[in-house]
Amino acid sequence: FTSHEKYPHAGDWNGIIFSYNSFALTVDQRGNFLSGSTIQYSIIEYGGKVEVKEGAYISNNIFRYNDSSSEALVEFSGRYNIFINNNLYDNQESGSCLALNGWGNYKFNNNTIKNNLCRGAIMINHGSGEINGNNISGNYGGITAASATGSIINNVITDNKIYNSLELYSKHNPEKRYSYPNAAIALLYSDYSTVRNNQILRNGGKAISLLSNCSTKTVIAKNDIYHNSSGFYFDELLLDNKHKNDCSSLWIKYNNIGGNIEYDFYNKSSKNIDVSYNYWDGEASALSIYGPPDKSIIGLVNDSPALVAPVGVDTTVLSGLLLENFLTQDNNYIVVLWLKLLPGKEYNIQPGTKIKVMKDTEISSEMSDALNYYIWPFDSEVKSLEGLYFMIEGAGNTTYQYSING
């Protein structure tokens, strides 16, 4: 799909629209295309916006030299939306390179989004799904999730110039706009999400920003966060008097953090935030974990105990079970079990399923959480790994036991 002009320019033609009455997308259990609206193995250049109103499967394409006039370059609003293995580069001014606006499901995986003038590489406004394995560099923004749920895993986000703030508005009330701090990964009221195993390096703004009411669990773990203009930024989102949670559900652990210029962690909220069990690379970095000095209105930051060595970041998405242990500053061990639900399989995880850390007697247990990645962290420390094992108690008194080495 290209321009008819002898000397083509971005925006020479209007773009592509999959309308509301286009064929509905169907995929198999593993997410492979079966039928419906699709663009595959194509080049889309010198055009405008690609708009998908009823779901589509878009894969293995090149998007280049397009100009969507401050709107999203590729925008989904359907029920099921798949955008995988695409290359987007050298596109002109747009609101975001890739966007979902609506309550649909999305899978935005394994794309390269590079050297675009987009104010955000990926923007999710509502919806539930996954943003995994993307390479995002040289843009004017990273990944933003607003009122969304899902996973942001295994992405490489480097060398982007991040705007300090972006504006969101509701389609139901377009006159009212909300400004929020932008970042390489920005979560706005997007509790119940997992941010894991990402490399966030050398970006010209915040690495991760969170605006949250802490109503449900948000897991941020095993990310590399180095040499950005600033590191983590947290503020509470007070929409009304109902949201007065204590933020104990915010789980920020096992990250490697250091060398960020302005700060490594900044707590602007009135909540106390626990960031223990992270690796702070260098003594100066640990000193840059702070909030403003008026502690009557600003919450504290607890960074102890910290890890004494960097956490290895996985190169592949986890399958099944992984047991890990980390050594803390006081020479104790903390142990974590990661359990991933595999695609194409059915699981019956009943409410009340428990997992326990056992060593003669129970050390700790926690109820399961409805995340894409089922993660049970245990903050109880042990002096020795000898004799330690995990036990999963399921429905019908079924018990599964795993040793620390198996």
Side-chain angles (χ1 to χ4, degrees), residues 154-378:
N154 278 1
N155 300 282
V156 178
I157 309 171
T158 61
D159 301 295
N160 297 281
K161 181 179 179 180
I162 308 294
Y163 280 105
N164 286 331
S165 63
L166 284 178
E167 287 188 336
L168 284 181
Y169 69 92
S170 170
K171 288 186 175 181
H172 302 292
N173 187 7
E175 300 301 320
K176 189 171 184 179
R177 295 177 178 266
Y178 304 88
S179 180
Y180 70 96
N182 197 14
I185 297 178
L187 302 181
L188 171 64
Y189 199 23
S190 288
D191 301 330
Y192 227 8
S193 295
T194 299
V195 178
R196 189 180 189 281
N197 205 40
N198 301 284
Q199 296 184 52
I200 309 171
L201 312 172
R202 302 183 305 276
N203 295 285
K206 297 175 179 65
I208 297 178
S209 69
L210 297 93
L211 264 70
S212 173
N213 65 19
C214 297
S215 61
T216 52
K217 192 159 197 170
T218 301
V219 174
I220 301 175
K222 296 194 74 173
N223 301 284
D224 273 350
I225 304 168
Y226 284 107
H227 306 299
N228 303 281
S229 292
S230 52
F232 281 94
Y233 174 93
F234 177 78
D235 200 358
E236 58 197 318
L237 186 64
L238 298 176
L239 299 180
D240 53 50
N241 292 328
K242 297 178 182 178
H243 297 140
K244 295 182 178 180
N245 303 292
D246 64 2
C247 288
S248 60
S249 61
L250 184 62
W251 203 76
I252 305 174
K253 299 182 189 298
Y254 311 111
N255 299 284
N256 300 320
I257 310 168
N260 299 291
I261 297 171
E262 188 176 358
Y263 54 79
D264 284 318
F265 192 97
Y266 184 91
N267 179 18
K268 193 182 177 183
S269 77
S270 61
K271 310 295 185 183
N272 295 334
I273 303 298
D274 181 15
V275 292
S276 57
Y277 303 112
N278 290 289
Y279 175 68
W280 305 95
D281 193 355
E283 189 173 322
S285 297
L287 296 176
S288 65
I289 307 168
Y290 67 96
D294 187 354
K295 295 299 189 289
S296 64
I297 57 173
I298 299 298
L300 302 176
V301 177
N302 172 43
D303 64 319
S304 180
L307 302 181
V308 298
V311 177
V313 177
D314 304 321
T315 57
T316 58
V317 178
L318 294 174
S319 297
L321 289 166
L322 174 69
L323 305 181
E324 294 183 302
N325 62 85
F326 305 98
L327 186 64
T328 65
Q329 289 171 317
D330 50 7
N331 290 319
N332 287 345
Y333 290 98
I334 182 167
V335 187
V336 182
L337 172 66
W338 309 87
L339 172 63
K340 181 184 185 299
L341 300 189
L342 302 178
K345 293 182 178 290
E346 293 184 0
Y347 294 85
N348 187 15
I349 306 294
Q350 297 287 343
T353 297
K354 293 183 180 181
I355 186 164
K356 298 178 180 180
V357 181
M358 306 291 292
K359 188 173 183 181
D360 299 327
T361 59
E362 179 180 332
I363 296 174
S364 62
S365 70
E366 186 170 322
M367 305 297 283
S368 61
D369 293 294
L371 294 166
N372 284 359
Y373 275 69
Y374 282 70
I375 298 175
W376 287 275
F378 299 101

